[in-house]
Amino acid sequence: MGRQDGWLLADLFRALRRRGGEDAAREPEAAPLDQLLAACEVLMSDVGEASLRAVAARALQAYAQLEETERLAFFTHMLQDHGVDDDAVRAAYQAWEQADGQRRDAALARLFDVVEPARQQLLRRMNHAPDATAALVAMRADLRRLLPEHPELRPVDHDFRHLLVSWFNRGFLRMEEITWDSPKELHQHLLRFEKVHPMEGRADLRRRLQPKDRRCFAFFHPATGEVPLIFVEVALVEGVPRHMGPLLEPGPALNPAQADTAALYSINNSLEGLAGISFGSFLIKQVIDEVSRQLPHLRRFVTLSPVPGFRGWLESQDDPELLHLAIELAAHDPRAVDPDAESADAPALRERLLPVLARYITAERRGDGRPLDPVARFHLGNGAAAWQLHWPAHSSPAALAQSYGAMITYRYEPEQLERRHEDFVRRREVAVDGPLAELIPDRPDTPRGSAPMADDFTPIHRSFEAQAARQPEKVLFHLPDGGTLTYAETEHTVRRIAARLLADGVQPGDRVAAQVQKSPEALALYLATLRVGGVFLPLNTAYTGTEMDYFIGDAEPRVLVCSPEREQEHAARGGEQLIVETLGTAGDGTLLTSETTVEESYAAAADTPASILYTSGTTGRSKGAVLTHGNLASNCRALLEAWQYTDQDRLIHALPIFHIHGLFVAANMTLVAGASFHWLPSFDAEAILDLMPTSTVLMGVPTFYTRLLASARLTPETCASMRLFVSGSAPLLASDHEAFEAATGHAILERYGMTETGMNTTNPYDGARKPGTVGKPFPGVQIRVTDRESGAALPDGEVGLVEVKGPNVFAGYWRMPEKTAAEFRSDGFFITGDLGRIDEDGYLCIVGRDKDLVISGGYNVYPKEIEERIDALEGVAESAVIGVPHPDFGETVVAVVVPQAGAALEPEQILAGIREDLARFKQPRAVKIVKALPRNVMGKVQKAELRKQYADLFAPA
Ligand SMILES: CC(C)(COP(=O)(O)OP(=O)(O)OC[C@H]1O[C@@H](n2cnc3c(N)ncnc32)[C@H](O)[C@@H]1OP(=O)(O)O)[C@@H](O)C(=O)NCCC(=O)NCCSC(=O)CC(=O)O
């Protein structure tokens, strides 16, 4: 029977009389099914709206009284008698084909009408009864229970779904937090609808709602009143939970301030009748937003989710190996599926299980390209990444039946959510990250921003963002003029600069070069570059145009930020590709002209390049050392731990921020720990002494300490609040170490690092700081001393090449694979070029250099670069550049020059000839004109001889 027209209300009674006798709709003895079918006939007639409500209500009442078999009969009736009238479709189609002009639209509308199954109209009309929507949701739940046995009813389910999708408009959904004080009725709903981790009774419920480390959020829709459609239970924990035990079993509550992770451990769709109805993809985001609003310090949002389809899938495989695994897993004693009491064979079994499980989650897809597993579809669609697998994780009968007790963590990273959601929806891309990523063999190149990260790795910019969220009002910068800048203010500047960089077209991996004066905004530029995925290339403000030409040509930055004074000069320098922005010391310049900000923050992987720092080469060209996010983050963490640096510290920051000492040691530590700076534009002994009484830490090059020692104000009283003085970048004279201790009572802590490796070793924070040594390796770093020729490790006490290996060691030189290869041993140790020995206490002593290098005031100067310039001058035959002791800079540069035969050269001529090309700190402090250079029998210039000869050139009188 197709659609029936022409029915009147009176027909209802006739129909009912026919079926059930006199007015069957009112007769209690009329069978509910008959009442229902009769009501349906009326509903499909031309019934008026008032009657519609009454008849619809009657229909639903009658439905509610049906037995299971009668329900089946009713749904079958819907399928057969309220479907599509094929003849009507054919006729309407023909009419449309033949229609022309305006009649065509009308014909198309008619065609649409007839292709819609009549039962959709029937359901729409039933929906006129009061509270009908909830009743129809329940009706669909009944239908869905019948589907496995009666798949022929699927078209009916499809029509229900079609209607419910439009009725359950996301816009009407309201989120509410449910607590132990919420109405009892709500509690009853939770008890009834908690299906993922069912509750025994109110005691269970209380454990999930009352403790201070628990939260619960529910979503309601007007159509279903106080029945929550979805609810999410959250536990505040430390670290990623690996099994359900601690989340479900009684135990002490964690202080939320101590938690770093929100674990969404149970997400329930209450109503089966709404299966497959999506409420949009951002419900979880709403929960996360609310939890982070309440607890801004949380660092991670994760789930511990079931894998409902895994066991069924595994057991249906043909592959004998998989079936074998299935059999073993099934035979595994469920009691052994207890994370705290694993059986002996469990580790081996786990090793075989996890890659298969990873494949199931990420690679096994349905026909529509989405993952087979329904929970995976839900979380990935909501913008999560598949993160970590756990087995055994849960021993409930359901967990064993679904996945042999395995579970999975999906991780929600708020700033990645929308991108991941889009990638999933549009390209069916499954975001995989964290430990799970390592289980997937031969993954194609991970798209940028979702590459695997170690579980405990947080890039520097993200740590800063977390601190800004945790303590927005805390002062980060104390400025010389008395002004301050908070974490929130700095974060805002970072977001503005990030927006500007994005507007300039900076893409992940693009270099952003900076040659700017030190300022808070200059530090924000560094963070903004990382935030957009750029590679930060800081350049010494002393570099001349010639030097800049080389760096820009080699690194090919997308953007160069310079001080406003040099804008013209640099604009002329770069090609069309280079965008020149300016930043002055007062935050002026083009970089900060717009108020636009960005929210997103690049999810760098540990091996993603973060920065390039140029180190002049011992031969020829300068080399760009590529440091990764993992290098910076791991080194920072080691430093914080070793020096017990916390958010209580206030650092006197007087170093430049274009080298690792000022940027990746001093600044990173402060940003990551959530500490604060006394921010000085450059070294100033008096200013530092003024600040000491309100500071805790100073980091500097030896020149800092030499200069401070010259002041009578350096006393134990001035240093009363200081807890740590650090020296590095150049050797600290043992005599300065001792004099400083005598003057202040503080033993300077000397450490050893270099651009390519970050920090390698440190004297102890607690324990003997030995003058003339650089201490022991930082946690995670390995140091060895080797024979220069054979590369063999040398016993302690012997002098050899210092080599280093660890997460701090750089990724290689920018576009110089051969040079990179030449400086690494086959087992991954980097050859530093420093000569050292390990003393009887295991402390490293740097005794010299295998490379020709001068360190002046903490700056590395490579003689070769200066010699090349001098040799190019007219009248010069050859030159040798050496470092000699200097009372202020430790070492300084001296040039020894041989004129060509017959040429008369003056030192001033030489200096004038190179002034334009070399930064001031590289320019020789003395030029000696000589007849010839000392050479050995092989003809090699004997620099040691020269150094001896000029050793006292700068000795204090
Ligand atoms: C030591 C300094 C404070 C000195 O700077 P000042 O500005 O006070 O110098 P000043 O005012 O006395 O300047 C005197 C003259 O010397 C020049 N001048 C400045 N610094 C110089 C230096 N390091 N070597 C040689 N010359 C230098 C000035 O241009 C000026 O030239 P004129 O005579 O023409 O006026 C500074 O150089 C500095 O902050 N150095 C730290 C470098 C650093 O951060 N290194 C870390 C690298 S990372 C690394 O190595 C790895 C690791 O840390 O382990």
Side-chain angles (χ1 to χ4, degrees):
M1 181 173 80
R3 192 176 303 204
Q4 303 223 343
D5 297 319
W7 277 73
L8 297 171
L9 187 57
D11 296 331
L12 166 69
F13 301 108
R14 268 202 300 282
L16 293 179
R17 232 172 272 125
R18 267 203 314 275
R19 288 172 194 280
E22 184 82 11
D23 198 354
R26 289 166 199 270
E27 285 289 326
E29 63 270 22
L33 181 61
D34 286 341
Q35 292 185 38
L36 175 60
L37 296 183
C40 288
E41 281 187 39
V42 178
L43 286 175
M44 294 307 285
S45 70
D46 269 346
V47 62
E49 203 171 313
S51 320
L52 199 62
R53 269 172 74 86
V55 179
R58 208 73 189 118
L60 292 176
Q61 275 166 18
Y63 175 83
Q65 293 165 24
L66 298 187
E67 308 281 331
E68 184 86 1
T69 50
E70 292 173 312
R71 287 192 202 130
L72 175 60
F74 172 61
F75 293 129
T76 308
H77 168 76
M78 280 182 107
L79 178 75
Q80 292 171 352
D81 293 0
H82 293 282
V84 171
D85 181 339
D86 292 348
D87 294 339
V89 173
R90 247 177 246 116
Y93 178 76
Q94 274 164 13
W96 172 72
E97 279 238 292
Q98 285 156 15
D100 47 21
Q102 287 177 346
R103 298 215 322 271
R104 208 169 156 79
D105 286 345
L108 185 63
R110 166 83 189 140
L111 179 58
F112 272 128
D113 276 350
V114 295
V115 293
E116 181 190 274
R119 53 187 168 264
Q120 283 195 17
Q121 176 73 332
L122 178 61
L123 291 171
R124 268 198 291 272
R125 291 188 168 196
M126 282 191 192
N127 199 29
H128 279 261
D131 298 326
T133 311
L136 291 171
V137 170
M139 191 185 284
R140 180 174 179 234
D142 295 337
L143 169 64
R144 289 181 59 80
R145 268 193 299 281
L146 294 167
L147 286 183
E149 294 274 308
H150 297 279
E152 73 279 4
L153 293 175
R154 282 197 187 284
V156 182
D157 184 52
H158 183 270
D159 290 317
F160 267 100
R161 189 164 167 249
H162 178 82
L163 293 170
L164 292 174
V165 164
S166 59
W167 295 345
F168 280 85
N169 184 310
R170 163 79 178 90
F172 291 110
L173 230 51
R174 162 187 112 246
M175 188 180 85
E176 244 181 58
E177 182 163 1
I178 299 187
T179 67
W180 187 239
D181 297 325
S182 299
K184 290 273 174 313
E185 194 196 353
L186 260 181
H187 288 175
Q188 287 308 321
H189 290 315
L190 296 199
L191 279 168
R192 176 162 162 231
F193 291 121
E194 167 60 277
K195 299 271 165 46
V196 181
H197 299 295
M199 291 181 270
E200 296 280 329
R202 284 190 64 76
D204 267 359
L205 182 68
R206 185 190 191 116
R207 264 208 299 279
R208 298 200 195 177
L209 293 182
Q210 201 180 31
K212 56 182 186 292
D213 59 354
R214 297 302 170 118
R215 301 286 185 276
C216 178
F217 300 91
F219 291 89
F220 300 90
H221 191 278
T224 36
E226 285 309 299
V227 179
L229 300 190
I230 292 174
F231 57 95
V232 181
E233 292 162 72
V234 182
L236 306 170
V237 292
E238 274 184 285
V240 176
R242 287 164 188 270
H243 60 99
M244 279 313 294
L247 301 177
L248 296 183
E249 284 150 22
L254 182 71
N255 178 355
Q258 263 175 284
D260 58 12
T261 302
L264 285 60
Y265 67 94
S266 186
I267 300 171
N268 286 274
N269 267 316
S270 310
L271 300 175
E272 171 61 22
L274 290 178
I277 311 294
S278 163
F279 300 105
S281 298
F282 295 106
L283 296 190
I284 300 296
K285 179 176 187 317
Q286 219 174 320
V287 171
I288 288 173
D289 286 349
E290 176 55 23
V291 175
S292 42
R293 193 191 61 74
Q294 293 181 11
L295 302 161
H297 69 280
L298 292 180
R299 288 175 50 211
R300 276 188 222 100
F301 299 91
V302 298
T303 72
L304 188 55
S305 305
V307 196
F310 178 62
R311 186 166 178 163
W313 170 80
L314 186 65
E315 291 177 1
S316 69
Q317 297 304 301
D318 290 333
D319 180 339
E321 213 173 291
L322 292 183
L323 283 179
H324 201 74
L325 177 65
I327 291 165
E328 276 180 68
L329 285 165
H332 202 76
D333 178 358
R335 276 163 309 173
V337 184
D338 168 1
D340 302 319
E342 283 170 35
S343 69
D345 62 333
L349 199 51
R350 179 195 284 119
E351 225 162 84
R352 287 165 52 211
L353 163 67
L354 295 192
V356 178
L357 188 51
R359 165 183 149 190
Y360 168 70
I361 293 285
T362 61
E364 294 298 324
R365 309 292 178 103
R366 302 194 305 191
D368 65 0
R370 292 173 194 252
L372 265 189
D373 191 78
V375 174
R377 289 198 296 275
F378 173 79
H379 286 296
L380 296 166
N382 269 268
W387 184 264
Q388 190 167 10
L389 301 175
H390 313 280
W391 184 85
H394 195 22
S395 55
S396 75
L400 294 172
Q402 294 175 342
S403 58
Y404 313 97
M407 298 189 83
I408 174 170
T409 293
Y410 296 96
R411 181 163 178 181
Y412 283 88
E413 293 172 286
E415 52 296 314
Q416 296 288 334
L417 236 133
E418 290 179 21
R419 185 181 58 79
R420 284 180 173 153
H421 161 77
E422 290 293 325
D423 289 349
F424 180 77
V425 172
R426 291 190 193 182
R427 297 197 288 276
R428 303 288 188 257
E429 251 172 44
V430 169
V432 184
D433 215 330
L436 203 158
E438 274 150 44
L439 292 168
I440 299 172
D442 304 330
R443 274 185 91 210
D445 273 354
T446 18
R448 276 200 177 128
S450 63
M453 285 194 229
D455 191 19
D456 50 2
F457 161 76
T458 310
I460 298 291
H461 61 290
R462 292 283 189 91
S463 297
F464 162 72
E465 287 152 23
Q467 290 295 358
R470 184 176 75 95
Q471 42 176 15
E473 298 311 321
K474 174 156 179 176
V475 172
L476 172 57
F477 291 97
H478 294 267
L479 301 169
D481 64 1
T484 57
L485 284 169
T486 63
Y487 270 82
E489 287 163 336
T490 308
E491 155 97 330
H492 184 68
T493 307
V494 173
R495 287 173 184 231
R496 284 175 63 198
I497 299 177
R500 182 77 180 194
L501 295 177
L502 290 179
D504 285 341
V506 173
Q507 304 261 345
D510 282 351
R511 277 75 59 211
V512 173
Q515 190 189 36
V516 290
Q517 296 298 330
K518 184 176 174 184
S519 68
E521 292 76 16
L523 191 65
L525 168 60
Y526 155 61
L527 290 168
T529 302
L530 302 190
R531 190 177 181 119
V532 301
V535 178
F536 191 58
L537 171 56
L539 294 161
N540 195 323
T541 43
Y543 286 144
T544 63
T546 314
E547 287 163 324
M548 289 296 287
D549 276 339
Y550 173 76
F551 297 124
I552 290 170
D554 190 53
E556 297 182 321
R558 172 89 198 143
V559 174
L560 166 67
V561 186
C562 65
S563 47
E565 308 82 63
R566 293 189 77 171
E567 183 180 10
Q568 294 296 324
E569 176 201 337
H570 286 328
R573 169 158 295 121
E576 295 219 328
Q577 311 299 327
L578 182 74
I579 294 174
V580 177
E581 298 274 10
T582 59
L583 177 65
T585 44
D588 50 316
T590 58
L591 195 64
L592 277 160
T593 41
S594 160
E595 277 302 323
T596 315
T597 60
V598 284
E599 288 287 314
E600 309 79 52
S601 172
Y602 183 72
D607 58 0
T608 308
S611 183
I612 297 180
L613 286 174
Y614 275 89
T615 68
S616 302
T618 41
T619 50
R621 305 197 293 136
S622 284
K623 298 170 287 184
V626 179
L627 290 158
T628 64
H629 283 271
N631 292 149
L632 305 188
S634 73
N635 211 218
C636 182
R637 187 168 352 145
L639 285 155
L640 295 176
E641 194 183 313
W643 299 347
Q644 301 183 15
Y645 199 85
T646 70
D647 59 1
Q648 299 303 304
D649 277 307
R650 191 177 293 181
L651 172 84
I652 302 177
H653 196 299
L655 286 161
I657 54 169
F658 42 69
H659 277 304
I660 59 164
H661 196 168
L663 190 59
F664 299 153
V665 180
N668 278 357
M669 287 174 72
T670 304
L671 298 168
V672 171
S676 50
F677 298 120
H678 272 306
W679 190 254
L680 292 175
S682 62
F683 178 85
D684 176 343
E686 291 305 315
I688 289 178
L689 288 160
D690 289 342
L691 294 173
M692 274 191 194
T694 55
S695 307
T696 62
V697 180
L698 173 69
M699 296 181 195
V701 293
T703 303
F704 280 28
Y705 296 101
T706 314
R707 291 185 182 181
L708 285 169
L709 275 167
S711 170
R713 291 176 63 203
L714 186 75
T715 61
E717 293 70 40
T718 321
C719 301
S721 76
M722 295 291 291
R723 68 171 186 90
L724 180 62
F725 293 90
V726 179
S727 175
S729 310
L732 178 72
L733 291 176
S735 55
D736 278 353
H737 187 284
E738 280 146 19
F740 198 87
E741 188 160 10
T744 64
H746 283 276
I748 298 172
L749 182 152
E750 191 175 1
R751 54 67 179 173
Y752 163 64
M754 60 193 298
T755 301
E756 287 91 335
T757 63
M759 299 301 107
N760 297 317
T761 68
T762 179
N763 268 280
Y765 184 76
D766 292 317
R769 300 178 192 166
K770 295 190 1 178
T773 81
V774 290
K776 296 183 180 185
F778 278 97
V781 177
Q782 298 174 60
I783 291 280
R784 71 183 180 197
V785 174
T786 60
D787 181 80
R788 185 209 268 163
E789 303 309 328
S790 69
L794 292 173
D796 288 357
E798 287 190 29
V799 172
L801 281 174
V802 177
E803 299 184 1
V804 54
K805 184 176 176 179
N808 53 319
V809 175
F810 75 137
Y813 293 111
W814 174 251
R815 293 180 181 165
M816 291 184 177
E818 292 86 16
K819 285 220 160 74
T820 304
E823 303 205 15
F824 279 90
R825 300 277 185 208
S826 57
D827 60 357
F829 274 82
F830 173 70
I831 307 163
T832 61
D834 288 316
L835 297 174
R837 68 179 166 83
I838 294 178
D839 77 5
E840 59 288 358
D841 297 320
Y843 286 45
L844 178 67
C845 314
I846 304 293
V847 299
R849 291 168 209 137
D850 189 47
K851 57 195 168 191
D852 195 8
L853 165 72
V854 181
I855 304 182
S856 163
Y859 290 138
N860 288 3
V861 180
Y862 286 86
K864 179 85 181 167
E865 189 186 357
I866 302 160
E867 288 161 4
E868 279 176 359
R869 300 276 168 195
I870 296 177
D871 293 352
L873 297 177
E874 222 180 286
V876 173
E878 61 173 345
S879 65
V881 169
I882 53 167
V884 301
H886 188 275
D888 188 28
F889 293 133
E891 272 185 312
T892 197
V893 180
V894 171
V896 187
V897 181
V898 180
Q900 280 170 353
L905 283 178
E906 289 298 321
E908 185 44 43
Q909 262 174 285
I910 304 289
L911 292 173
I914 59 172
R915 195 161 286 145
E916 295 294 298
D917 295 338
L918 291 173
R920 175 73 183 101
F921 67 86
K922 298 180 189 169
Q923 295 171 20
R925 298 271 147 173
V927 176
K928 296 286 165 192
I929 309 288
V930 297
K931 288 208 174 68
L933 297 173
R935 291 181 187 275
N936 66 12
V937 286
M938 306 292 293
K940 193 170 182 286
V941 176
Q942 288 177 300
K943 288 200 170 179
E945 192 57 41
L946 288 172
R947 280 194 283 268
K948 216 185 285 170
Q949 201 176 328
Y950 297 107
D952 293 332
L953 209 53
F954 295 93

